[in-house]
Amino acid sequence: VPRSKTTPKDEKPQRRTVRLTHPDRVYWPDEGVTKEGLADYYTEVWRYIAPHIVGRPLALLRAPSGIDGQTFFQKHAWKGINANIVEVQDPAEKDDEPYVAINDLDGLLGLVQSATLEIHPWGSTLADWERPDRIIMDLDPGDGVDWPAIIEAAEETRKRLETAGLNAFVKTSGGKGLHVVAPLKPSAQWPAVKAFCKGIADAMAKDSPDKYVSTITKSKRSGKILIDYLRNQRGMTAVAPYSTRARRGAAVSMPLAWNELSPDIGPAYFTVENTPTRLQALDADPWAEFKAAAEPLKAAKGKAKG
Ligand code: ATP
Ligand code: MN
Ligand code: MN
């Protein structure tokens, strides 16, 4: 069911309750994308990005002077934090500094006001910090790996996840690779989820040692793809679907339908500039069924062989 049709395409949320200081500050100089432009982008994609960033701990890549200036990868709240951003306490680390979270579009615009150029959520929610609701297999190509090989790696990862009883979705990273994401019904805790993901990465490296590696130490080897399963640990993060990247080109991490993976698009093909057009042209959000497709990892017991 093309769920995006249930909301009229011209129905856009209103913003402007959050005050932006320096709205003309340029964040991506080559594209001329400003802070105000970033706020407009996130307002546009709000209903798509919301399920992936609301109600979970967030790490933020902040860049007050734009992508060419100093950047900060921030896991915790800071002094004078925007009032629309929520501070949350890790229930397992009561003495730790609070994390940041958002509840609504004002929260997202609070992140923009704070010069957040990348949003990196946890794989679990504030409702259940210990039981992830998604797996993210991060496919990191070494030097010399071509795009068709990255697509092939994503297809193989998908097959292995499906063999294990899960459903798999794909997105561009907005950088160099692809992310294969499987929604989970929260049941297994972090250590079991990590072990499962390691099993898939190790099996891929074992079955195709010429194509894949599963350990960072071997990841420098050119011509191979690192199957980075280490996003799937408590406290680790990966860039959110629809998040911008603090890199040249103003690319975003874009959810795709599997049949959109083709030579026509690369990992940084979708950008702040062309995403609104894409979303308006889509018949259906390619990830419309993401939440409904969640399965518990216990159904995935046993092998991760493809
Ligand atoms: P690419 O396709 O280029 O690999 P990516 O988003 O997958 O893009 P990675 O380098 O594979 O990039 O993943 C980095 C991950 O590590 C991010 O998703 C982020 O959550 C996490 N991370 C930890 N520390 C940092 C940091 N200092 N800066 C950026 N990311 C960080
Ligand atoms: Mn990556
Ligand atoms: Mn990685």
Side-chain angles (χ1 to χ4, degrees):
V1 183
R3 220 177 265 178
S4 65
K5 288 230 165 116
T6 62
T7 311
K9 282 173 183 166
D10 54 0
E11 187 183 292
K12 270 174 213 153
Q14 294 296 309
R15 68 175 182 87
R16 285 294 165 264
T17 48
V18 179
R19 194 173 81 89
L20 296 181
T21 55
H22 309 292
D24 297 330
R25 181 154 295 164
V26 177
Y27 284 160
W28 286 267
D30 292 347
E31 292 71 28
V33 178
T34 61
K35 184 187 232 182
E36 171 118 59
L38 183 61
D40 289 343
Y41 167 80
Y42 277 127
T43 303
E44 191 94 33
V45 304
W46 167 246
R47 70 191 168 89
Y48 294 88
I49 194 176
H52 305 291
I53 59 171
V54 165
R56 48 183 83 231
L58 304 174
L60 310 173
L61 191 73
R62 297 174 63 209
S65 312
I67 63 164
D68 291 333
Q70 218 182 334
T71 62
F72 310 85
F73 191 77
Q74 233 172 315
K75 293 195 162 196
H76 295 283
W78 59 93
K79 252 200 157 121
I81 195 167
N82 185 282
N84 297 289
I85 301 172
V86 181
E87 297 187 26
V88 291
Q89 197 65 42
D90 182 344
E93 302 282 349
K94 299 262 196 265
D95 298 330
D96 211 352
E97 289 173 76
Y99 285 85
V100 303
I102 62 165
N103 292 327
D104 47 30
L105 177 58
D106 281 358
L108 177 52
L109 295 174
L111 298 182
V112 172
Q113 165 55 19
S114 309
T116 299
L117 269 47
E118 300 192 1
I119 304 168
H120 294 251
W122 281 39
S124 62
T125 67
L126 300 176
D128 198 342
W129 292 57
E130 307 310 326
R131 293 175 177 78
D133 69 346
R134 61 194 55 200
I135 277 170
I136 297 173
M137 299 300 279
D138 167 22
L139 308 181
D140 286 335
D143 290 342
V145 174
D146 63 13
W147 179 237
I150 304 171
I151 294 178
E152 190 190 339
E155 299 281 6
E156 179 171 342
T157 306
R158 175 196 194 184
K159 196 168 137 214
R160 288 177 186 267
L161 289 165
E162 288 181 352
T163 300
L166 302 175
N167 293 300
F169 295 77
V170 69
K171 67 184 178 76
T172 63
S173 71
K176 293 187 300 181
L178 289 169
H179 295 165
V180 178
V181 188
L184 298 176
K185 281 214 167 73
S187 73
Q189 299 204 3
W190 280 113
V193 171
K194 178 185 176 185
F196 169 77
C197 295
K198 182 178 192 303
I200 288 184
D202 286 346
M204 287 176 69
K206 182 161 178 284
D207 292 351
S208 305
D210 52 324
K211 291 194 243 179
Y212 306 130
V213 293
S214 61
T215 57
I216 304 271
T217 48
K218 292 182 185 168
S219 69
K220 288 278 152 28
R221 292 192 185 173
S222 66
K224 297 188 185 173
I225 299 171
L226 169 66
I227 314 300
D228 179 4
Y229 65 88
L230 289 172
R231 309 290 100 230
N232 304 288
Q233 296 189 78
R234 193 183 200 279
M236 296 297 272
T237 56
V239 75
Y242 300 104
S243 172
T244 55
R245 303 310 307 261
R247 305 182 188 187
R248 296 191 168 274
V252 305
S253 177
M254 179 57 70
L256 301 174
W258 281 101
N259 64 13
E260 287 184 290
L261 281 179
S262 84
D264 297 345
I265 60 156
Y269 180 84
F270 290 104
T271 66
V272 170
E273 288 163 307
N274 65 18
T275 292
T277 312
R278 165 178 170 78
L279 296 181
Q280 277 152 28
L282 277 181
D283 276 347
D285 176 1
W287 283 29
E289 299 306 318
F290 185 83
K291 195 162 187 208
E295 297 288 345
L297 188 64
K298 60 176 161 49
K301 261 215 170 72
K303 11 195 151 295
K305 295 254 177 202

